[in-house]
Amino acid sequence: MEGLARSQINPIHATFTQYRSSFVPAFSLQFKNNLTSGGILFMKPSQSCNSITASVQPLKASSLGHCNNTLPSKEVLELWRSADSVCFDVDSTVCLDEGIDELAEFCGAGKAVAEWTAKAMGGSVPFEEALAARLSLFKPSLSQVQDFLEKRPPKISPGIDELVKKLKAKNTNVYLISGGFRQMINPVASILGIPPENIFANQLLFGSSGEFLGFDANEPTSRSGGKATAVQQIRKVGLIHISFMYDL
């Protein structure tokens, strides 16, 4: 994954952790550099904890046994308190699953697409190449996407809703930055009360009859390094001062 070159952005690593307490963030952070107050966080899972399939309802404690349930350190808590903005990845972070894999499985191409997803996450192929290859395997129509959204509601990770509420209560800006698709992320944002303008994601394109045409290559998240680009776009608007960042 690409690192960020700008010296004012000190990268941090995030590890996804399921937890039982409703009063702590769902992530623990491993610091690479000293952090200054204020700034933006980007929360993204590592592969050290496998995602769990579940409904929107909170998981039972017994379902979380395979993950380490640890309270965050004082440094982590202070980082959350001092951040001006927090950006969340969506797949396997805010949501329990990989959206494109779920859509592909719904359309009958789950196994083949999941293999490509593993390649994309491993960095062995450029993200834009993997995205195009995965979509070409099942070419979802508009009606299939709509049917999927109706029959497969978002599987929100336990505690995320309360975490976002606490951040918003502190006037912390919350963004969703994802390599997934707006059509599938909009319902997630609606559940969490995150406005559409705070979403950076890809857009599926359809023809006049609802046939699949592709995806919008102009979206920054449609290519490798796109999440870092999205954060830089947020910064250019002047809404926040970025002093640290997860290295994408």
Side-chain angles (χ1 to χ4, degrees):
M1 293 185 286
E2 294 184 8
L4 296 178
R6 293 181 179 272
S7 59
Q8 67 267 31
I9 301 177
N10 302 316
I12 58 177
H13 285 293
T15 301
F16 182 82
T17 304
Q18 298 285 359
Y19 64 101
R20 292 187 177 94
S21 171
S22 61
F23 299 100
V24 297
F27 306 87
S28 61
L29 306 179
Q30 299 176 355
F31 300 101
K32 287 183 65 177
N33 293 321
N34 293 328
L35 301 174
T36 59
S37 61
I40 184 170
L41 297 177
F42 188 92
M43 299 293 102
K44 186 177 186 297
S46 72
Q47 297 179 355
S48 60
C49 179
N50 295 327
S51 57
I52 310 167
T53 300
S55 64
V56 175
Q57 287 74 26
L59 294 177
K60 295 180 180 179
S62 60
S63 302
L64 307 178
H66 71 291
C67 295
N68 295 325
N69 293 281
T70 57
L71 292 173
S73 66
K74 290 183 179 180
E75 290 91 343
V76 170
L77 290 175
E78 181 56 34
L79 189 60
W80 282 92
R81 294 188 185 104
S82 62
D84 298 318
S85 298
V86 175
C87 296
F88 288 97
D89 192 8
V90 177
D91 292 330
S92 299
T93 309
V94 168
C95 291
L96 291 165
D97 48 27
E98 291 289 323
I100 190 171
D101 290 356
E102 292 295 304
L103 178 60
E105 189 274 331
F106 184 80
C107 296
K111 183 178 180 180
V113 171
E115 291 174 353
W116 266 102
T117 297
K119 292 180 182 179
M121 294 179 67
S124 60
V125 294
F127 180 79
E128 56 271 31
E129 179 181 330
L131 183 60
R134 285 179 288 176
L135 287 171
S136 69
L137 290 173
F138 65 108
K139 300 180 179 179
S141 66
L142 178 59
S143 62
Q144 283 179 311
V145 173
Q146 292 173 335
D147 194 29
F148 169 81
L149 293 174
E150 180 179 344
K151 295 179 179 178
R152 303 274 185 94
K155 301 172 184 177
I156 306 296
S157 295
I160 288 292
D161 190 13
E162 184 171 355
L163 174 57
V164 171
K165 287 179 180 177
K166 289 181 181 293
L167 290 170
K168 291 169 65 178
K170 289 172 54 62
N171 293 320
T172 302
N173 298 308
V174 179
Y175 294 87
L176 298 179
I177 302 181
S178 174
F181 305 110
R182 290 180 181 272
Q183 287 89 342
M184 300 165 66
I185 294 173
N186 285 337
V188 176
S190 179
I191 292 171
L192 299 176
I194 297 173
E197 60 268 23
N198 283 20
I199 300 172
F200 288 79
N202 293 313
Q203 183 80 29
L204 291 171
L205 302 177
F206 303 99
S208 58
S209 299
E211 72 276 16
F212 173 76
L213 295 180
F215 62 91
D216 187 355
N218 293 318
E219 294 284 359
T221 54
S222 69
R223 49 192 177 271
S224 298
K227 292 174 184 176
T229 301
V231 173
Q232 293 295 348
Q233 288 184 5
I234 296 172
R235 183 171 180 262
K236 287 179 180 179
V237 174
L239 297 176
I240 54 176
H241 171 71
I242 301 175
S243 54
F244 44 87
M245 170 69 186
Y246 181 90
D247 59 332
L248 300 171

